[in-house]
């Protein structure tokens, strides 16, 4: 029996992030997404593999990529052709800002620029649909990617979900959707979409805009269950977990986790600062994230993160850091600032770097140590398969 290359090379070495582009690219439909025992979504064999290797070509953790698309630098040269500047730590870019959307700030996780950009992409006719993350009705799956085409639907998809999601279901609809699509994703998902665009040329026009979510690591399903247990809720009773409940009277970092205990229909919350350092320790984080060096979502048209630096972090209402990487993205931000829909200021490069310093330390400075320490076996294994 043929084993799909992505399973052999990536999934079996615990380097899969669950984006599902391999499922989309497989011509024989031999893969499907399933939950693994650690609370992550991964592809598994569900049909007969024809061994053509398409699955590996679109994988963001493919250790043997084609030379033309081997890193974010090559892909950036192909897809971000209008960006005038380049920095080794953040890739190609137009400009860097900090700020918020005056309309969406309070209903979003940081400054609401994510939701703002999507509403503008729809209202300006740049895209017809958005693939973003909404509440799921599937048992055990609290959030999932879904298709939106109105402002009301986009509002349901606001806020950060520290929960595993996969593009599997929305990508399976892509050919039947008549129109253009914008997709939001963390760095590895955005890279997978770029690799799919490289492989299937029509996807470039079909997906003209990507919103990158700056990511410090993808958490397992157990993260939400652990936080619910700390709030006094058993995992089977957890409903609608909310990962970033703001405290307007406090600092931006002083947010809470909350969810409904469906056994008594009561909402419970817990301040995140009471459960310890969930980010610096890397608890509940996917192993693949320890082998990713794309801190700022280098291949998106616009990258959005939290402004974890003063004075912005003192404001519990939330503020974004913003990196524009295409003319259209930069124009949306500039126009929003001029017409008063956004409150934006230019952020010096060094200050932006400082806002993600922890992630740069871990994923740029620390990566070579992890590769040397953890990967000799993996590298030997992979060399044999090559
Ligand atoms: C797993 C994860 C880790 C993060 N780590 C960092 C970090 O280390 N540093 C940092 O500065 N920022 C980080 N962020 C980003 C930050 O939390 C905000 O999502 C970002 O600043 C955008 O805020 P906003 O108010 O503009 O977005 P909103 O207006 O609230 O919109 C958020 C958008 O993100 C989408 N979304 C929500 N969850 C996911 C998901 N899991 N995968 C893909 N899309 C999703 C929503 O559907 C929506 O379109 C992380 C986000 C995630 C999901």
């Amino acid at each position: 029996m043929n084993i799909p290359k992505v399973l052999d090379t990536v999934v079996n070495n615990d380097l899969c992030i669950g984006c599902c582009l391999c499922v989309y690219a497989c011509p024989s439909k031999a893969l499907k997404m399933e939950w693994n025992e650690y609370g992550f979504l991964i592809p598994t064999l569900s049909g007969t593999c024809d061994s053509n290797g398409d699955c590996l070509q679109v994988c963001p953790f493919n250790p043997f990529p084609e030379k033309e698309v081997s890193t974010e630098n090559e892909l950036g040269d192909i897809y971000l052709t209008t960006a005038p500047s380049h920095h080794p730590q953040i890739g190609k870019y137009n400009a860097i800002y900090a700020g918020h959307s005056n309309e969406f700030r309070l209903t979003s996780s940081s400054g609401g620029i994510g939701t703002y950009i999507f509403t503008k992409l729809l209202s300006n006719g740049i895209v017809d649909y958005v693939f973003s993350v909404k509440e799921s009705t599937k048992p055990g799956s609290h959030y999932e990617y879904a298709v939106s085409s109105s402002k009301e639907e986009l509002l349901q998809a606001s806020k950060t979900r520290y929960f595993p999601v996969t593009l599997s279901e929305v990508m399976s609809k892509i050919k039947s959707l008549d129109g253009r699509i914008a997709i939001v994703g963390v760095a590895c998902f955005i890279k997978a979409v770029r690799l799919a665009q490289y492989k299937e040329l029509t996807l470039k026009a079909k997906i003209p805009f990507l919103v990158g979510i700056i990511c410090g690591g993808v958490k397992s399903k157990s993260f939400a269950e652990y936080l619910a247990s700390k709030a006094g809720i058993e995992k089977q009773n957890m409903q609608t977990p909310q990962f970033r409940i703001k405290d307007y009277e406090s600092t931006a970092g002083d947010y809470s986790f909350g969810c409904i205990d469906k056994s008594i229909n009561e909402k419970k919350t817990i301040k995140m600062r009471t459960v310890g350092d969930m980010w610096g320790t890397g608890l509940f984080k996917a192993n693949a994230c320890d082998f990713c060096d794309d801190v700022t979502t280098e291949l998106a048209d616009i990258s959005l993160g939290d402004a974890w630096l003063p004075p912005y972090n003192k404001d519990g209402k939330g503020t974004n850091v913003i990196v524009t990487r295409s003319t259209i993205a930069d124009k949306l931000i500039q126009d929003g600032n001029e017409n008063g829909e956004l409150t934006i200021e230019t952020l010096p490069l060094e200050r932006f770097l400082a806002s993600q310093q922890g992630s740069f330390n871990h994923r740029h400075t620390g990566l070579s140590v992890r590769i040397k320490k953890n990967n000799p076996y993996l590298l030997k294994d992979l060399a044999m398969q090559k």
Side-chain angles (χ1 to χ4, degrees), residues 106-352:
L106 298 185
T107 47
S108 289
S109 286
S110 308
I113 301 289
T115 304
Y116 175 81
I117 289 289
F118 283 131
T119 60
K120 289 292 151 188
L121 289 171
L122 284 183
S123 65
N124 290 348
I126 298 164
V127 302
D128 307 282
Y129 304 98
V130 170
F131 289 177
S132 54
V133 176
K134 286 189 193 157
E135 211 170 321
S136 167
T137 49
K138 281 197 211 115
S141 208
H142 295 280
Y143 293 100
E144 64 185 2
Y145 268 94
V147 183
S148 291
S149 56
S150 69
K151 185 173 167 183
E152 293 66 39
E153 288 176 310
L154 288 175
L155 272 166
Q156 291 164 23
S158 292
K159 295 193 180 155
T160 298
R161 313 303 187 182
Y162 298 130
F163 195 84
V165 286
T166 180
L167 283 161
S168 152
E169 299 212 339
V170 284
M171 286 306 287
S172 69
K173 292 182 186 144
I174 203 161
K175 295 217 161 75
S176 60
L177 288 173
D178 184 16
R180 284 164 299 181
I181 296 157
I183 304 181
V184 63
V186 293
C188 43
F189 280 48
I190 296 291
K191 183 175 184 185
V193 174
R194 289 298 189 204
L195 289 167
Q197 287 180 322
Y198 182 74
K199 196 170 160 302
E200 188 179 333
L201 296 181
T202 53
L203 287 183
K204 189 176 173 194
K206 184 89 184 166
I207 310 169
F209 202 97
L210 295 174
V211 173
I213 294 292
I214 292 177
C215 171
V218 169
K219 298 289 195 189
S220 73
K221 192 194 219 180
S222 312
F223 178 60
E225 293 168 353
Y226 171 74
L227 295 177
S229 77
K230 288 293 192 185
I233 301 174
E234 289 179 33
K235 66 180 178 188
Q236 68 275 14
N237 293 328
M238 173 174 67
Q239 193 181 311
T240 323
Q242 297 289 328
F243 297 89
R244 296 279 299 262
I245 302 172
K246 293 176 179 178
D247 181 345
Y248 305 147
E249 305 304 317
S250 187
T251 57
D254 190 21
Y255 57 84
S256 299
F257 168 85
C259 60
I260 294 165
D261 183 341
K262 66 180 177 195
S263 67
I264 51 173
N265 200 21
E266 193 179 295
K267 185 173 178 182
K268 294 187 176 165
T269 61
I270 182 167
K271 282 272 185 189
M272 284 302 291
R273 65 176 142 77
T274 65
V275 296
D277 180 3
M278 288 289 136
W279 294 97
T281 55
L283 288 169
F284 302 107
K285 185 173 68 175
N287 185 55
C289 301
D290 271 348
F291 296 92
C292 157
D293 68 354
D294 184 354
V295 173
T296 67
T297 318
E298 292 182 26
L299 298 173
D301 291 86
I302 189 166
S303 305
L304 304 172
D306 285 293
W308 296 134
L309 78 170
Y312 314 108
N313 58 358
K314 304 229 172 350
D315 188 340
K317 294 192 280 307
T319 308
N320 285 105
V321 286
I322 304 156
V323 182
T324 57
R325 305 178 190 275
S326 66
T327 310
I328 194 164
D330 203 58
K331 185 163 167 24
L332 289 175
I333 295 294
Q334 300 261 10
D335 287 352
N337 201 28
E338 274 161 33
N339 66 25
E341 292 174 343
L342 301 181
T343 302
I344 296 287
E345 56 195 17
T346 300
L347 189 68
L349 173 71
E350 301 68 41
R351 302 213 65 222
F352 171 67

Side-chain angles (χ1 to χ4, degrees), residues 343-364:
T343 302
I344 296 287
E345 56 195 17
T346 300
L347 189 68
L349 173 71
E350 301 68 41
R351 302 213 65 222
F352 171 67
L353 294 175
S355 78
Q356 307 297 328
Q357 192 56 56
S359 216
F360 284 123
N361 291 347
H362 186 72
R363 285 152 66 195
H364 284 190

